[in-house]
Amino acid sequence: MSDRLHAAGRDTCERRGYEITSPDEPWLPSSLATPTARASPFVSRSVNELVAVEPLENDEVTPTTLLSRLRNNISHERFSLFVVGSEADARTVHDVLYDPPLVAGEDRHGRRTFYNGPDRIPLAKGGYAAVRTDASPDDLVWREDGTGDDHSLRLVEGTGKADERARTAEAADSGGQTLAWLDGVDGLACPTAEAFPYSYRRDPDDKRFRLRTREGRVVGVYDGIADMRANAYVPLPMPLVPEHVFSGVSSVRDEWAALVVDDARDGADKTPTARVVTAGSF
């Protein structure tokens, strides 16, 4: 399907007056669209900007992929056109990047619930943070607490794999079991092992993981992460904190659009229809 999405993205850009190039570099988007004098931009701010065509399969429409590609394009002064194959995928793009922007949820006090990223939390003196829990790694939820401008950060167990926004809100409202606590999101920058219940690191001699308490006592030796998890010790995911991911960027509202490609065809017309979604469209 990505070929179909890619072709639809290129076609839409050409119809809007862009010239298409296909960089032969693995670290660049599959297609770049350069505006001409007659180009009709996707948002007014992007009138003179390169457009990165980013086709996304359904399983690629995730917070990690969206934020990663958006950050990469912003850092290279490119506008992101995410090409997706359904209205549901377009709504996911819109929800992640706009409603609320870049976080799983935000309450009336401005306290945020974050998406989990793919990275683990590295510790100042080596190793990574861990907790003991029967919850799935996907059900570990980082959220802010506190009032005013001072928000602490705590990790709670979620309530299942249903809608993430609903389950994180439920965990927040019910208090949830607190597994870890930090003064705030800046505490994620190389924290000490004492900040978490457990930490683990690979021994350079036998290559096995040593799991320790915050006091430094070894409570387990494991061949790998799977063995740790089998004994209910779970590496902590690094939350995707917008100001850390997009350092120096005040807003991403006008940095992207989604193109929804619809396979429905009328009569002899073999061209899929496409609809552009921007911030606030839904």
Side-chain angles (χ1 to χ4, degrees):
M1 183 174 67
S2 60
D3 288 344
R4 176 178 66 86
L5 298 179
H6 187 198
R10 291 169 60 98
D11 179 70
T12 296
C13 288
E14 288 176 337
R15 289 171 182 265
R16 284 175 168 260
Y18 289 81
E19 292 182 351
I20 304 296
T21 57
S22 298
D24 190 21
E25 302 292 351
W27 59 85
L28 288 173
S30 52
S31 287
L32 291 174
T34 303
T36 67
R38 62 183 181 84
S40 174
F42 292 92
V43 300
S44 59
R45 190 203 56 77
S46 66
V47 62
N48 295 316
E49 197 168 30
L50 278 175
V51 173
V53 179
E54 299 280 7
L56 296 176
E57 301 278 5
N58 174 262
D59 61 358
E60 295 177 304
V61 186
T62 66
T64 294
T65 298
L66 291 169
L67 269 64
S68 174
R69 296 198 186 184
L70 186 64
R71 175 181 62 182
N72 183 52
N73 287 328
I74 289 175
S75 66
H76 291 89
E77 298 183 344
R78 297 190 295 255
F79 182 84
S80 297
L81 179 64
F82 298 108
V83 189
V84 298
S86 71
E87 287 286 335
D89 285 346
R91 182 171 287 280
T92 298
V93 174
H94 185 270
D95 287 351
V96 171
L97 300 183
Y98 177 72
D99 186 25
L102 312 178
V103 294
E106 185 172 354
D107 68 14
R108 61 189 178 88
H109 301 291
R111 297 174 298 197
R112 299 168 294 178
T113 299
F114 300 101
Y115 295 113
N116 289 338
D119 297 330
R120 305 308 175 194
I121 298 177
L123 302 175
K125 294 183 179 180
Y128 298 88
V131 294
R132 185 171 174 81
T133 177
D134 291 326
S136 160
D138 292 336
D139 294 329
L140 299 179
V141 179
W142 284 106
R143 67 174 300 270
E144 290 178 316
D145 273 341
T147 58
D149 295 330
D150 295 326
H151 289 164
S152 60
L153 182 69
R154 71 182 177 114
L155 182 76
V156 300
E157 290 185 5
T159 57
K161 295 183 179 180
D163 178 76
E164 181 160 6
R165 193 179 310 275
R167 69 177 174 82
T168 53
E170 182 178 343
D173 291 342
S174 64
Q177 179 184 355
T178 299
L179 302 176
W181 182 90
L182 296 169
D183 286 340
V185 294
D186 290 340
L188 293 165
C190 287
T192 64
E194 292 76 20
F196 300 96
Y198 299 96
S199 63
Y200 67 97
R201 64 188 304 173
R202 190 182 296 276
D203 187 279
D205 295 324
D206 64 7
K207 309 304 181 183
R208 303 181 77 195
F209 286 119
R210 261 59 175 179
L211 187 91
R212 292 177 168 83
T213 65
R214 56 166 48 97
E215 294 80 20
R217 179 171 59 90
V218 175
V219 294
V221 180
Y222 301 96
D223 290 332
I225 299 299
D227 292 333
M228 284 176 49
R229 287 176 172 162
N231 203 24
Y233 292 106
V234 180
L236 291 188
M238 177 71 82
L240 296 172
V241 179
E243 57 266 37
H244 295 171
V245 176
F246 297 94
S247 178
V249 178
S250 59
S251 173
V252 300
R253 175 187 175 97
D254 294 329
E255 299 287 350
W256 63 274
L259 183 69
V260 191
V261 181
D262 187 351
D263 269 339
R265 299 177 176 92
D266 295 324
D269 185 5
K270 301 300 183 182
T271 303
T273 61
R275 182 173 77 88
V276 175
V277 173
T278 57
S281 294
F282 283 106

